[in-house]
Amino acid sequence: CYLEGPEMSRFSFPRYPNGWFQMAWSDEIAVGDVRRLSGFCKELVAFRGKSGRLCVLDAYCPHLGAHLGVGGTVEGDTIQCPFHGWRFDGNGVCVDVPYAKCIPANSGLTRWPVVERNGLVMVWHHALGALPPLLGNAPAELVDGLGVLDRDLLVVLRAARILPPEVWERLSAAAAAQA
């Protein structure tokens, strides 16, 4: 989110940098669990459906504004609103309104890109809404005892400046050679 009001003229840059942010630990969200998250000036909700897929969405139901992280339940691979039972899939699409014959327009939620790596739940944030780079299969290479790294994790490490530039260059070259 951008700073607004009188601060805007002084700080004309995003409040949060673009990148992956740890929002939870993987073992904190079991199948069927709903977890309330806060980040990037927003309330978010994480849930793990029956398939085991972890999803992160905006937290407020578009119907009457119920917080899905407070009383929301997992039904199969959807999250159900505690007020009137609207259900949303992992992509934020409203898939069921129990008392209606059709689903209202503009009834979806924003989906946040999420990855789980090494026990971390990482959510992607970009000030302008751009998608995360380098999602895909990983270079299966051992580098300086770091173990097998995939491209998602490399983005995290590079953004956090954990990898020295020379290691990043070797990993990028290895990934390009495998493509």
Side-chain angles (χ1 to χ4, degrees), residues 134 136-141 143 149-152 154 167-179:
L134 294 178
N137 292 329
E141 170 152 317
V143 178
L149 298 175
D150 67 20
R151 288 184 181 197
D152 298 334
L154 292 178
V167 173
W168 173 253
E169 288 169 17
R170 278 189 303 196
L171 287 170
S172 296
Q178 289 183 359

Side-chain angles (χ1 to χ4, degrees), residues 53-77:
R53 177 180 171 218
L54 181 67
C55 305
V56 176
L57 306 172
D58 278 350
Y60 296 105
C61 179
H63 179 224
L64 289 177
H67 195 301
L68 298 175
V70 181
T73 56
V74 174
E75 299 292 330
D77 280 329

Side-chain angles (χ1 to χ4, degrees), residues 25-109:
W25 298 96
S26 292
D27 62 1
E28 294 175 338
I29 309 171
V31 171
D33 283 355
V34 175
R35 177 157 175 168
R36 187 177 181 171
L37 303 173
S38 294
F40 324 116
C41 302
K42 292 191 170 282
E43 286 288 313
L44 307 174
V45 63
F47 72 96
R48 193 180 299 275
K50 183 179 177 183
S51 68
R53 177 180 171 218
L54 181 67
C55 305
V56 176
L57 306 172
D58 278 350
Y60 296 105
C61 179
H63 179 224
L64 289 177
H67 195 301
L68 298 175
V70 181
T73 56
V74 174
E75 299 292 330
D77 280 329
T78 65
I79 186 167
Q80 184 171 344
C81 175
F83 279 12
H84 297 103
W86 288 31
R87 289 188 9 224
F88 303 90
D89 69 10
N91 292 319
V93 176
C94 183
V95 295
D96 183 42
V97 177
Y99 49 83
K101 292 181 181 177
C102 64
I103 295 171
N106 300 321
S107 60
L109 297 168

Side-chain angles (χ1 to χ4, degrees), residues 91-174:
N91 292 319
V93 176
C94 183
V95 295
D96 183 42
V97 177
Y99 49 83
K101 292 181 181 177
C102 64
I103 295 171
N106 300 321
S107 60
L109 297 168
T110 300
R111 179 186 67 86
W112 291 76
V114 61
V115 295
E116 292 183 84
R117 296 292 185 268
N118 300 323
L120 305 174
V121 173
M122 307 292 290
V123 175
W124 173 257
H125 170 267
H126 192 281
L128 301 177
L131 294 176
L134 294 178
L135 288 177
N137 292 329
E141 170 152 317
L142 296 175
V143 178
D144 299 336
L146 293 173
V148 177
L149 298 175
D150 67 20
R151 288 184 181 197
D152 298 334
L153 181 58
L154 292 178
V155 171
V156 173
L157 296 174
R158 183 179 188 204
R161 301 199 189 318
I162 292 173
L163 292 177
E166 59 275 5
V167 173
W168 173 253
E169 288 169 17
R170 278 189 303 196
L171 287 170
S172 296

